[in-house]
């Protein structure tokens, strides 16, 4: 029989946010406006950056950080014991075999097991498969603290819905799903989030329901994009412009507006594998979800096959050809390179013996070199190039006119576009 945690009220809450990336920092900044909040990250460099008021993710501005008067930053776990409400926002990636990598979540839970006290609440926001919070995280919290779930330890799950680079849909105006390990705790967690979420909250009936809701949000989007990607492949073979087809079909009131493209990042290209992992664990082999993943994971290779075909058609030797790729981030107007599928284009072009340059002024060049072994161009210069692949339509790239792009190339060259920023009559090919 669980008992209430209410020896304290909302006014007594002291928050600690574990992990200060694209998800954790906006959350800490919002809570830190009115509630004493600790922002924790194991990256000492990240903490120093935030203490200066700088955010490389560009999700929270210096002025916004300045408004969070009750927010402090630390990389020392001992500082966390001052909190009583913990929110975990660490990454949940996949490994090289496309299986869930829960090591950051396990490390955070083990660390918190040494920090929490009786009646504390730990809420997880990291994307997981249904059951992970209670099956993986809670035992670590109990083991480290000596506390018992729903007796003197309480947990919740409130999945993140951050859309990196989106300045319209931000944390306060996105409906928040909440849940808790007891009805009383669920109410308390929901009421706390409502203090910062103007769009309102949706209290799920259980933690497992909240976990499942999160993982299917991006699975649904992944499948819709996979369908459009497959249609684009078919239409290319039929010599029909995909964008023109979508524009025509889009005149029907209930046609879903999805575009072809590369599917990467920390959510859409990752979350479906969490669900399929759990499904296989219980003896079911998903078919549609994995088929969609195979299509989307193959699109970088498909783009290169199209570019190479166009180069051969123009009698451009692919081996030793100079190729420029514009954009490396996983999506436009965002510096995030996690799980970017542009890297597939880079690697595939290299496999043909081409000399590849990559230009993306939004991303951290040092981080790119450390993670992918790519040294980015510092500025655009004429090589001249045999081909340009316009991979990511950053707003900054919109300032580049078609004449300026072609001026970077030999007279005989290929200009290929992935995301349809330019017109069909301006490029040699596009997805």
């Amino acid at each position: 029989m669980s008992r209430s945690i209410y020896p304290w009220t909302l006014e007594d809450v002291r928050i600690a946010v574990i992990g200060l990336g694209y998800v954790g920092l906006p959350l800490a900044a919002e809570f830190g406006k009115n509630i004493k909040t600790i922002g924790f990250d194991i990256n000492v460099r990240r903490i120093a950056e935030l203490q200066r008021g700088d955010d490389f993710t560009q999700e929270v501005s210096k002025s916004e950080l300045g408004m969070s008067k009750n927010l402090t930053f630390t990389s020392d776990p001992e500082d966390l014991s001052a909190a009583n409400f913990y929110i975990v926002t660490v990454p949940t990636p996949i490994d090289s075999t496309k299986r869930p990598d829960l090591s950051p979540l396990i490390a955070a839970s083990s660390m918190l097991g040494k920090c929490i006290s009786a009646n504390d609440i730990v809420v997880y926001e990291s994307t997981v498969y249904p059951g992970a919070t209670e099956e993986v995280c809670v035992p670590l919290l109990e083991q480290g603290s000596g506390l018992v779930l729903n007796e003197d330890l309480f947990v919740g799950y409130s999945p993140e819905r951050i859309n990196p680079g989106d300045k319209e849909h931000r944390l306060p105006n996105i409906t928040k799903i909440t849940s808790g390990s007891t009805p009383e705790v669920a109410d308390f967690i929901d009421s706390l989030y409502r203090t910062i979420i103007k769009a309102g909250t949706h209290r799920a009936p259980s933690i497992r329901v909240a976990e499942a809701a999160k993982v299917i949000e991006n699975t649904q989007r992944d499948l819709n994009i996979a369908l459009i990607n497959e249609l684009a492949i078919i239409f290319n073979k039929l010599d029909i412009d995909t964008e023109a087809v979508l524009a025509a079909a889009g005149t029907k009131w209930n046609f879903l507006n999805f575009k072809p493209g590369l599917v990467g990042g920390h959510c859409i290209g990752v979350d479906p594998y969490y669900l399929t992992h759990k499904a296989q664990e219980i003896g079911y082999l998903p078919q549609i979800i994995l088929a969609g993943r195979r299509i989307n994971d193959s699109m970088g290779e498909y783009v290169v096959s199209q570019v190479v075909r166009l180069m051969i058609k123009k009698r451009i030797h692919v081996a030793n050809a100079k190729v420029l790729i514009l954009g490396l981030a996983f999506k436009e107007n965002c510096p995030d390179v996690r799980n970017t599928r542009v890297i597939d284009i880079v690697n595939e072009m290299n496999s043909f013996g081409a000399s590849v340059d990559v230009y993306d002024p939004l991303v951290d060049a040092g981080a790119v070199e450390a993670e992918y072994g790519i040294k980015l161009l510092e500025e655009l210069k004429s090589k001249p190039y045999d081909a340009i692949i316009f991979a990511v339509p950053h707003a900054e790239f919109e300032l580049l006119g078609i004449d300026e792009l072609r001026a970077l190339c030999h007279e005989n060259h290929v200009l290929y576009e992935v995301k349809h920023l330019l017109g069909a009559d301006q490029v040699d090919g596009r997805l």
Side-chain angles (χ1 to χ4, degrees):
M1 179 97 179
S2 64
R3 62 183 179 81
S4 172
I5 63 164
Y6 294 107
W8 36 269
T9 64
L10 285 180
E11 287 71 29
D12 301 313
V13 169
R14 302 179 303 280
I15 296 171
V17 178
I18 315 302
L20 299 175
Y22 287 84
V23 175
L25 182 62
L27 193 66
E30 284 297 326
F31 275 126
K33 291 176 181 177
N34 298 300
I35 300 173
K36 186 173 181 181
T37 303
I38 301 168
F40 174 88
D41 200 287
I42 59 173
N43 188 332
V44 176
R45 178 182 171 188
R46 175 68 167 157
I47 294 300
E49 172 189 84
L50 294 173
Q51 287 172 336
R52 295 193 303 268
D54 298 324
D55 172 30
F56 83 90
T57 70
Q58 301 177 26
E59 292 298 311
V60 182
S61 67
K62 181 170 288 191
S63 62
E64 288 173 321
L65 282 175
M67 295 169 61
S68 302
K69 301 297 185 182
N70 297 292
L71 174 60
T72 58
F73 298 108
T74 184
S75 58
D76 187 351
E78 292 188 3
D79 295 335
L80 296 175
S81 59
N84 53 23
F85 193 102
Y86 299 85
I87 305 175
V88 179
T89 62
V90 298
T92 42
I94 52 176
D95 62 22
S96 59
T97 64
K98 301 188 185 304
R99 299 182 71 81
D101 177 6
L102 296 179
S103 57
L105 198 65
I106 290 170
S109 299
S110 297
M111 178 188 70
L112 287 179
K114 302 172 184 177
C115 303
I116 56 178
S117 302
N119 296 323
D120 286 356
I121 296 177
V122 181
V123 175
Y124 291 88
E125 292 210 4
S126 306
T127 300
V128 292
Y129 52 76
T133 299
E134 291 155 304
E135 296 166 8
V136 177
C137 301
V138 166
L140 295 170
L141 296 174
E142 290 180 321
Q143 180 181 346
S145 65
L147 305 174
V148 178
L149 180 66
N150 294 336
E151 291 186 8
D152 47 11
L153 165 65
F154 303 89
V155 299
Y157 185 77
S158 180
E160 60 88 6
R161 283 176 163 172
I162 294 295
N163 187 26
D166 189 339
K167 300 306 180 185
E168 179 182 355
H169 301 98
R170 306 191 70 192
L171 178 66
N173 57 18
I174 301 173
T175 302
K176 198 88 167 70
I177 296 173
T178 66
S179 64
S181 55
T182 71
E184 296 83 6
V185 169
D187 283 339
F188 191 88
I189 292 170
D190 191 75
S191 64
L192 180 59
Y193 275 107
R194 283 202 309 268
T195 65
I196 63 168
I197 306 297
K198 297 176 183 177
T201 59
H202 175 88
R203 182 187 153 185
S206 71
I207 288 174
R208 289 167 64 88
V209 167
E211 292 168 326
K214 168 57 180 176
V215 81
I216 71 163
E217 288 175 11
N218 289 319
T219 300
Q220 181 187 69
R221 183 166 177 79
D222 188 46
L223 285 171
N224 277 290
I225 298 172
L227 171 62
I228 302 302
N229 277 336
E230 187 165 54
L231 292 175
I233 293 172
I234 295 170
F235 295 146
N236 282 339
K237 289 181 178 296
L238 294 171
D239 198 25
I240 300 174
D241 183 62
T242 302
E243 185 177 42
V245 174
L246 295 176
T251 60
K252 190 167 187 284
W253 73 91
N254 61 352
F255 185 80
L256 300 179
N257 184 28
F258 286 90
K259 304 292 185 184
L262 305 175
V263 182
H266 69 295
C267 284
I268 299 178
V270 171
D271 294 0
Y273 289 119
Y274 274 75
L275 185 56
T276 58
H277 166 78
K278 188 63 177 180
Q280 290 170 319
E281 193 176 73
I282 60 173
Y284 178 76
L285 178 62
Q287 298 181 55
I288 294 176
I289 297 173
L290 289 175
R293 280 281 73 237
R294 284 192 294 271
I295 291 172
N296 286 341
D297 278 348
S298 70
M299 291 311 292
E301 182 179 344
Y302 175 74
V303 165
V304 172
S305 74
Q306 294 297 98
V307 173
V308 169
R309 181 180 65 82
L310 290 168
M311 292 174 72
I312 293 173
K313 192 173 182 180
K314 287 194 172 190
R315 290 182 168 79
I316 300 172
H317 292 291
V318 179
N320 299 318
K322 294 182 174 61
V323 178
L324 172 65
I325 297 176
L326 290 175
L328 185 65
F330 87 87
K331 63 178 287 188
E332 58 270 21
N333 305 318
C334 171
D336 194 349
V337 295
R338 288 176 297 172
N339 194 37
T340 175
R341 301 296 14 120
V342 179
I343 193 65
D344 297 339
I345 296 177
V346 177
N347 293 337
E348 189 70 8
M349 282 302 321
N350 282 328
S351 75
F352 278 94
S355 174
V356 180
D357 286 339
V358 183
Y359 178 68
D360 192 326
L362 268 65
V363 306
D364 185 308
V368 168
E369 188 167 10
E371 184 169 353
Y372 297 110
I374 297 173
K375 190 171 181 61
L376 295 177
L377 289 180
E378 295 182 3
E379 59 181 336
L380 283 179
K381 292 181 180 179
S382 175
K383 282 284 182 158
Y385 291 101
D386 297 294
I388 294 179
I389 302 175
F390 203 151
V392 186
H394 292 317
E396 184 170 326
F397 290 162
E398 293 186 40
L399 302 176
L400 298 173
I402 189 67
D403 292 337
E404 187 175 348
L405 283 174
R406 293 199 181 276
L408 297 169
C409 302
H410 287 290
E411 183 176 348
N412 185 32
H413 64 272
V414 167
L415 177 56
Y416 187 93
E417 184 185 25
V418 173
K419 290 293 288 284
H420 296 194
L421 181 64
L422 303 171
D425 58 342
Q426 294 180 302
V427 297
D428 298 295
R430 60 182 183 171
L431 191 57

